[in-house]
């Protein structure tokens, strides 16, 4: 099968949908001839024209609200926010409006929109352009939250997000844009709420999201050399979360490490750990659950500090070894 | 342009020569940074103000030391003009401990609180409310300083701009909102992104004065800011100044500049604020050799800053968790 980049897969998913559905359009800052801050929409204004690839002023509150209002009245907008950090400016519209309108109106109306946005650190863009704020969004009933990790997944998940009748926050990790993978040319959909086991193993389960899926897979290769068999589960969507797949995996391995780039404190890893603690997989655990996440610090500029602020492969390896060395002792 | 621009009375010939040198410092600084990014020697991204030196130098030259500024992502010029140390700036770009932010901020977050630079900002429009708050302190504590708030044409489409101007207006705060209209946001031209002729026209909607000036004419910038700052200092509230200018380089380190023409760029290069200032100074009888020596000195200072930066240590991992809380 042909290989394309994650970035190309995002563009292809949007373009294919826009070719068939006139209600789908994109809006965002510099998405026209500039092609967006990361080049995702490059070439799209040439194909679809400025009516459907709408270059907006720098007005994150208004463009989020306009996306929501148009969705409520029959369009299916895709909003590109240049950096996920700027969701703070769109937050009132997303949290107080998009997420709740249908419920507040007693089940009337719907907001079928996708807010796509590049997230994460690793580019040296420092504290206001490098955050991973997805846990905030997962806390809001009414929003769905997607965090794809591969070119194949991103294409199928974006199709599902566009087809979904609810507001979906769709995170694209910047460092994934250039990663390549096999991606079918035709359209396909990956259901929201379906985790993917990225690697099978028997000794320990790592649940990792976005860029950390790749770091976890690297760690797994290293650990295999020492005879440790790691299973890597990628939830792909945080809301809805496929707890079943995670529970099954933990029942098999009896050990769980959760890894995300976002700050560990208050991060989504806590939700995953709790889901296991509350499930019947708890009885299967042979060691305490371990969470690996970003340090509770704004992302620094210096490349060395920037790396140290978020989990790296050795941190994951260490966490896996710690869980393997710890045992829960039960007293009868 | 043949009009005779009066100099603000406090400005001496020596001060003008200083400003000329300062403009070269700004230009050489940003050209150096551009070179390092192109060579991949600096990490992250940067926004250069080459071509916009007259707004930074002209506007800030009208402030007193006690006055404060808020800057933008395109803030190297503002920092230098406010008395910033180019060594510390260059070191910051290299991510070194001797940098303004100890290597934690980079280009977009350089701040120099001691000289009254409350910081560059990675959030477009993010600094505007901060300027209003700083002006509020001045008023409440009777500190008598004025805040000069820089922002771009693009930023004037953020809600933060509109909310801030209204707040400063109803509270009569000592702040001057200074728009560097360089014709574009990242790629969005001001013509497409607003339906008004001038950003300064927005002042009307908030009941404050607004003025449009040639931002590539340093004397015009100085005069307008002098008046606005005096008004603010005398308790007569905020105003907007819009300086029309142009950024010569791309928006940030990677920009194919498809949204504008090479002809337009050429036209604006002919309005080079430094060359125009030089001509004015020559007309005032300042010796050309002297001016050229100032330019040389500026170049050398920037070269020395590179030396300083590259010889400075990288931050230790121990510093990662420092300074999160006061
Ligand atoms: C809230 C926010 N939205 C978008 C961006 C991305 N961005 C950085 S600079 C810029 C253009 C800003 O234009 P303007 O205010 O005119 O300043 P200029 O770059 O022209 O100096 C954009 C869109 C950002 N940093 N912050
Ligand atoms: Mg601009």
């Amino acid at each position: 099968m042909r290989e394309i980049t994650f970035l190309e897969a995002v563009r292809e998913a949007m373009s294919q949908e826009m070719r068939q559905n006139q209600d789908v359009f994109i809006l965002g800052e510099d998405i026209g001839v500039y092609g967006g801050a990361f080049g995702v929409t490059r070439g799209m204004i040439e194909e679809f024209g400025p009516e459907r690839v709408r270059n907006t002023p720098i007005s994150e509150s208004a463009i989020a609200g306009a996306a929501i209002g148009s969705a409520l009245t029959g369009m299916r907008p895709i909003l590109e926010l240049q950096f996920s950090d700027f969701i703070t400016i769109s937050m009132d519209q997303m949290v107080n409006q998009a997420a709740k309108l249908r419920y507040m109106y007693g089940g009337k109306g719907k907001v079928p929109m996708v807010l796509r946005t590049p997230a994460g650190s690793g580019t040296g863009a420092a504290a206001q352009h490098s955050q991973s704020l997805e846990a905030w969004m997962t806390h809001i009933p009414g929003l769905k939250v997607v965090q794809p990790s591969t070119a194949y997944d991103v294409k199928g998940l974006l199709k599902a997000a566009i087809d979904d009748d609810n507001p979906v926050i769709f995170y694209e990790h910047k460092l994934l844009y250039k990663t390549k993978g096999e991606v079918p040319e035709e359209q396909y959909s990956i259901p929201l709420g379906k985790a993917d086991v990225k690697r099978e193993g028997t000794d320990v389960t790592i649940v990792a999201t976005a860029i950390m899926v790749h770091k976890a897979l690297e760690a797994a290769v290293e650990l295999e050399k020492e005879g440790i068999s790691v299973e890597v589960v990628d939830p792909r969507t945080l809301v809805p979360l496929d707890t079943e797949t995670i529970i099954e995996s933990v029942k098999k391995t009896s050990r769980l490490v959760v890894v995300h780039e976002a700050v560990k404190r208050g991060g989504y890893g806590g939700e995953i750990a709790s889901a296991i603690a509350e499930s019947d997989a708890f009885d299967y655990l042979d060691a305490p659950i371990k969470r690996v996440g970003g340090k509770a610090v704004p992302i620094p500029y210096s490349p060395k500090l920037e790396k140290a602020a978020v989990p790296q492969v050795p941190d994951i390896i260490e966490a896996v070894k710690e869980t393997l060395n710890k045992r829960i002792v039960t007293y009868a | 342009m043949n009009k005779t621009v009066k100099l603000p009375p406090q400005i001496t010939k020596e001060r003008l020569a200083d400003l000329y040198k300062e403009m070269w410092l700004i230009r050489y600084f940003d050209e150096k940074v551009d070179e390092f990014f192109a060579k991949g020697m600096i990490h992250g991204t940067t926004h250069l103000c080459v071509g916009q030196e007259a707004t930074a130098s002209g506007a800030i030259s009208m402030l007193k030391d006690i006055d404060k500024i808020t800057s933008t992502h395109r803030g190297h010029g503002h920092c230098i003009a406010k008395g910033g140390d180019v060594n510390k700036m260059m070191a910051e770009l290299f991510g070194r401990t001797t940098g303004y932010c100890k290597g934690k901020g980079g280009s977009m977050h350089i701040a120099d609180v001691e000289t009254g630079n409350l910081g560059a900002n990675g959030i477009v429009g993010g600094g505007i409310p901060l300027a209003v708050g700083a002006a509020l302190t001045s008023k409440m504590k009777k500190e008598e300083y004025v805040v000069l708030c820089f922002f771009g044409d693009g930023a004037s489409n953020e809600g933060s701009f509109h909310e801030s101007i209204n707040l400063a207006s109803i509270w009569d705060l000592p702040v001057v909102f200074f728009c560097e209209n360089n014709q574009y946001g990242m790629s969005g031209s001001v013509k497409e992104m607003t339906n008004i002729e001038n950003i300064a026209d927005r002042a009307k909607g908030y009941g404050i004065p607004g003025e449009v000036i040639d931002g590539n004419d340093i004397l015009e910038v100085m005069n307008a800011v002098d008046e606005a700052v005096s008004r603010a200092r005398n308790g007569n509230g905020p105003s907007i100044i819009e300086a029309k200018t142009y950024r010569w380089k791309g928006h940030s380190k990677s920009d194919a500049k498809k949204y504008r023409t090479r002809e337009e760029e050429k036209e604006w290069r002919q309005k080079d604020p430094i060359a125009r200032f030089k001509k004015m100074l020559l007309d005032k009888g300042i010796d050309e050799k002297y001016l050229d020596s100032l330019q040389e000195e500026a170049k050398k200072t920037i070269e020395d800053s590179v030396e300083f930066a590259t010889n400075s240590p990288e931050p230790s991992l121990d510093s990662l968790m420092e300074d999160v809380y006061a």
Side-chain angles (χ1 to χ4, degrees):
Chain A
M1 204 188 296
R2 74 174 175 156
E3 286 204 341
I4 60 173
T5 64
F6 185 98
L7 183 148
E8 287 161 342
V10 174
R11 184 192 298 142
E12 189 168 278
M14 291 193 288
S15 298
Q16 289 182 338
E17 201 58 34
M18 285 175 72
R19 282 176 205 132
Q20 334 181 339
N21 187 344
Q22 288 297 315
D23 293 340
V24 178
F25 71 102
I26 325 177
L27 70 168
E29 293 158 18
D30 306 290
I31 62 169
V33 289
Y34 199 94
F38 289 85
V40 177
T41 57
R42 203 160 284 160
M44 290 183 74
I45 196 166
E46 287 80 357
E47 177 176 355
F48 299 102
E51 277 288 305
R52 298 183 70 205
V53 177
R54 302 189 79 92
N55 230 5
T56 72
I58 312 171
S59 311
E60 290 80 9
S61 175
I63 61 180
I68 299 164
S70 74
L72 192 62
T73 47
M75 301 300 287
R76 302 188 82 85
I78 302 170
L79 169 64
E80 175 173 305
L81 269 193
Q82 282 190 347
F83 285 81
S84 74
D85 311 69
F86 312 156
I87 208 166
T88 52
I89 305 172
S90 308
M91 207 68 159
D92 168 60
Q93 291 296 328
M94 295 312 300
V95 172
N96 288 324
Q97 312 297 341
K100 305 177 169 48
L101 291 179
R102 181 179 175 82
Y103 187 81
M104 293 190 299
Y105 298 171
K108 294 195 195 74
K110 55 183 184 183
V111 183
M113 68 173 283
V114 182
L115 186 161
R116 290 181 35 244
T117 190
S121 69
T123 67
Q128 296 173 336
H129 286 74
S130 304
Q131 296 169 85
S132 302
L133 301 175
E134 67 277 1
W136 284 6
M137 310 312 291
T138 65
H139 192 64
I140 308 301
L143 298 180
K144 294 190 177 181
V145 182
V146 184
Q147 263 193 314
S149 69
T150 66
Y152 176 85
D153 286 353
V154 80
K155 183 173 172 186
L157 288 165
L158 186 49
K159 161 107 177 101
I162 298 169
D163 288 343
D164 200 284
D165 277 340
N166 298 285
V168 179
I169 313 291
F170 197 91
Y171 286 103
E172 296 162 12
H173 197 289
K174 290 158 215 163
L175 297 186
L176 292 175
Y177 277 137
K178 288 187 180 154
T179 60
K180 278 194 158 179
E182 289 190 349
V183 178
E185 281 174 47
E186 67 279 5
Q187 275 188 300
Y188 57 94
S189 185
I190 297 174
L192 304 185
K194 189 88 201 70
D196 186 36
V197 177
K198 289 279 189 279
R199 177 189 170 105
E200 291 193 4
T202 51
D203 296 334
V204 55
T205 298
I206 301 180
V207 175
T209 56
I211 187 84
M212 290 301 152
V213 171
H214 300 269
K215 296 206 165 147
L217 288 169
E218 270 182 62
V221 169
E222 288 306 307
L223 288 160
E224 186 175 36
K225 293 177 191 158
E226 300 178 37
I228 300 166
S229 165
V230 176
E231 176 143 308
V232 177
V233 181
D234 174 3
R236 301 196 287 201
T237 65
L238 304 185
V239 180
L241 179 67
D242 179 1
T243 44
E244 212 172 289
T245 301
I246 300 170
I247 289 170
E248 283 317 304
S249 176
V250 172
K251 281 186 181 169
K252 179 170 78 175
T253 64
S254 302
R255 286 182 165 83
L256 175 63
V257 175
V258 185
V259 192
H260 54 60
E261 175 172 327
V263 171
K264 178 173 149 183
R265 181 177 76 208
Y268 199 70
E271 184 62 30
I272 293 172
S274 313
I276 293 303
E278 286 178 339
S279 76
D280 58 349
F282 182 72
D283 289 333
Y284 292 73
L285 285 175
D286 283 343
I289 298 167
K290 187 112 195 119
R291 287 184 296 150
V292 182
K295 301 253 166 50
V297 67
I299 299 294
Y301 168 68
S302 138
K304 184 172 145 193
L305 296 184
E306 185 184 23
K307 272 212 170 106
V310 301
Q312 302 297 338
V313 175
D315 302 316
I316 301 173
I317 292 175
E318 193 187 309
V320 166
K321 288 186 176 169
E322 273 177 37
T323 29
L324 284 165
N325 292 335
K326 263 199 193 130
R327 292 210 158 265
I328 295 175
V329 186
T330 41
Y331 301 94
Chain B
M1 227 178 289
N2 251 344
K3 72 179 167 186
T4 42
V5 188
K6 270 201 332 261
L7 275 179
Q10 66 273 36
I11 297 297
T12 61
K13 259 194 192 178
E14 289 71 39
R15 183 74 181 108
L16 286 179
D18 281 351
L19 286 174
Y20 180 73
K21 179 172 169 186
E22 183 181 286
M23 286 168 84
W24 275 114
L25 267 180
I26 296 173
R27 179 160 302 177
Y28 283 134
F29 185 88
D30 269 3
E31 282 184 342
K32 247 314 166 231
V33 171
D34 196 25
E35 179 190 324
F36 290 145
F37 267 99
K39 287 185 184 155
M41 287 167 66
I42 308 185
H43 167 72
T45 191
T46 193
H47 307 85
L48 307 174
C49 67
V50 177
Q52 304 182 193
E53 296 86 355
T55 50
S57 279
I60 293 171
S61 69
M62 295 294 100
L63 299 182
K64 294 184 182 174
D65 286 348
I66 57 162
D67 293 335
K68 299 186 192 300
I69 65 164
T70 59
S71 174
T72 68
H73 56 284
R74 203 175 300 288
H76 301 158
H78 307 148
C79 187
I80 292 175
K82 193 70 177 86
D85 176 346
V86 291
N87 284 353
K88 289 188 186 171
M89 291 172 67
M90 195 62 88
E92 187 56 37
L93 283 154
F94 275 84
R96 305 300 164 98
T97 52
T98 51
Y100 265 117
C101 319
K102 304 177 190 166
K104 290 177 175 174
S107 169
M108 263 190 295
H109 303 297
I110 292 176
D112 184 8
V113 178
E114 275 109 76
T115 61
N117 175 359
L118 300 181
N121 212 306
I123 301 299
V124 169
I128 309 176
L130 303 183
V132 172
L136 180 62
T137 303
S138 177
K139 183 161 177 164
M140 292 183 76
K141 291 184 152 233
K142 302 193 171 43
E143 292 192 359
E144 293 179 350
Y145 65 77
V146 170
V147 185
L148 179 64
C149 169
F150 287 100
F151 61 97
D153 47 285
S156 79
N157 292 323
E158 287 282 12
S160 65
F161 165 85
H162 296 271
E163 297 177 21
S164 300
I165 307 250
N166 186 56
L167 193 58
S169 171
I170 61 165
W171 286 348
D172 264 332
L173 297 179
V175 52
V176 174
F177 298 103
F178 190 97
C179 178
E180 294 178 297
N181 177 355
N182 58 9
Q183 317 302 322
Y184 296 90
M186 202 155 173
S187 69
S189 90
V190 71
K191 289 196 192 78
E192 286 169 42
M193 294 302 156
T194 69
N195 258 340
I196 45 173
E197 180 69 25
N198 302 302
I199 307 280
D201 296 347
R202 293 184 160 172
K204 273 200 209 85
Y206 301 102
I208 63 171
E211 188 182 0
V212 180
I213 58 168
D214 177 350
N216 283 13
D217 179 341
I218 189 167
L219 295 190
E220 210 174 309
V221 175
M222 288 161 83
N223 277 293
V225 174
D226 190 40
E227 199 187 312
V229 165
S230 307
R231 185 188 302 120
R233 207 182 305 281
N234 295 333
N236 296 321
S239 54
I240 300 180
I241 295 171
E242 175 189 0
K244 309 269 192 197
T245 183
Y246 201 78
R247 70 166 147 74
W248 287 10
K249 309 263 179 189
H251 167 74
S252 61
K253 71 170 179 186
S254 49
D255 179 357
K257 298 185 289 184
K258 280 200 222 157
Y259 49 86
R260 68 188 198 189
T261 64
R262 301 298 83 85
E263 290 74 57
E264 181 186 280
E265 290 174 1
K266 216 165 125 193
E267 265 169 46
W268 275 95
R269 272 176 191 264
Q270 275 151 15
K271 301 181 202 165
D272 180 358
I274 301 187
R276 283 168 71 184
F277 191 32
K278 182 174 183 184
K279 186 162 177 305
M280 274 183 252
L281 295 175
L282 292 174
D283 290 347
K284 281 194 180 303
I286 299 182
D287 179 43
E288 180 157 23
K289 280 214 187 81
Y290 175 56
L291 291 179
D292 292 347
S293 72
L294 293 177
Q295 182 181 340
E296 270 313 299
E297 279 174 34
K299 192 171 193 176
K300 174 83 175 44
T301 304
I302 297 306
E303 272 155 18
D304 291 348
S305 77
V306 175
E307 180 93 13
F308 174 83
T310 47
N311 287 330
S312 293
E314 298 221 12
S316 77
L317 288 179
D318 300 336
S319 72
L320 176 66
M321 301 306 291
E322 287 168 9
D323 299 324
V324 179
Y325 297 97

